[in-house]
Amino acid sequence: DASSESRLKVQSLVETVTDAHGQRLAEYEQYTDAVNKFKASKDTAALTAAKKKIENDLKNVTNQISDLQAEMKASSPEVSDKIGELQRLDKAVKEQLANYQQQAERLVGGKVQKAQFADAEKAFTQKMDELKSKMDTIVYGL
């Protein structure tokens, strides 16, 4: 029957989105780890190489989720809208990661004091936790 076939297709797409989102969360962690290693080692080349790989991986996962969202639009517009919100939150996470990297570079370059960086790092951690929580709520609600 067509309706159960449609539900199965939506369920399959949701599982794929959930898996891709898990990959994306792992990439966020790798990005944060790369910045933290940079703070300790001050190795700009290692940060640049890690960042390039991670950004490429994130781009691939984000494109995969966008394709799934487009595929989902006809079968389940409300699920497609939720995936769209997930994508918007991903952009906010990427902005936070880029800002964190910029703050770390300023710290390593001596343009920011450790105390000032610690405040920025605390704000980064809080914002990332908030964004990830919102993302998890959306994913679990799919």
Side-chain angles (χ1 to χ4, degrees):
D1 117 43
S3 72
S4 70
E5 189 176 311
S6 177
R7 276 195 307 273
L8 287 173
K9 181 178 181 183
V10 168
Q11 183 180 355
S12 172
L13 292 172
V14 165
E15 287 177 17
T16 306
V17 168
T18 302
D19 291 345
H21 177 67
Q23 290 174 330
R24 193 156 58 183
L25 289 175
E27 295 296 332
Y28 297 156
E29 291 302 316
Q30 287 183 12
Y31 197 124
T32 304
D33 290 346
V35 172
N36 290 333
K37 286 178 187 170
F38 167 72
K39 284 186 332 194
S41 71
K42 299 177 171 73
D43 185 352
T44 305
L47 175 63
T48 302
K51 179 183 167 192
K52 185 176 181 179
K53 181 196 178 307
I54 292 165
E55 285 180 341
N56 187 49
D57 292 346
L58 279 171
K59 180 180 158 198
N60 291 337
V61 172
T62 299
N63 288 341
Q64 178 188 8
I65 292 173
S66 291
D67 293 345
L68 292 166
Q69 179 187 7
E71 198 174 332
M72 184 81 71
K73 201 169 218 96
S75 306
S76 181
E78 59 280 348
V79 173
S80 178
D81 290 345
K82 287 179 181 180
I83 295 171
E85 179 61 24
L86 193 64
Q87 296 291 70
R88 285 186 285 284
L89 289 171
D90 172 59
K91 288 180 183 166
V93 168
K94 289 175 183 170
E95 288 172 12
Q96 288 298 313
L97 289 168
N99 185 34
Y100 181 59
Q101 176 189 342
Q102 186 178 44
Q103 291 296 326
E105 289 171 342
R106 292 179 71 211
L107 173 70
V108 168
K111 296 177 182 158
V112 170
Q113 299 296 318
K114 283 189 179 187
Q116 192 178 3
F117 178 79
D119 291 342
E121 191 170 36
K122 183 178 178 186
F124 164 77
T125 302
Q126 288 174 336
K127 187 67 176 174
M128 286 294 288
D129 288 346
E130 177 185 317
L131 290 167
K132 287 179 187 176
S133 176
K134 286 179 181 179
M135 291 174 126
D136 287 346
T137 300
I138 291 170
V139 169
Y140 295 133
L142 291 176

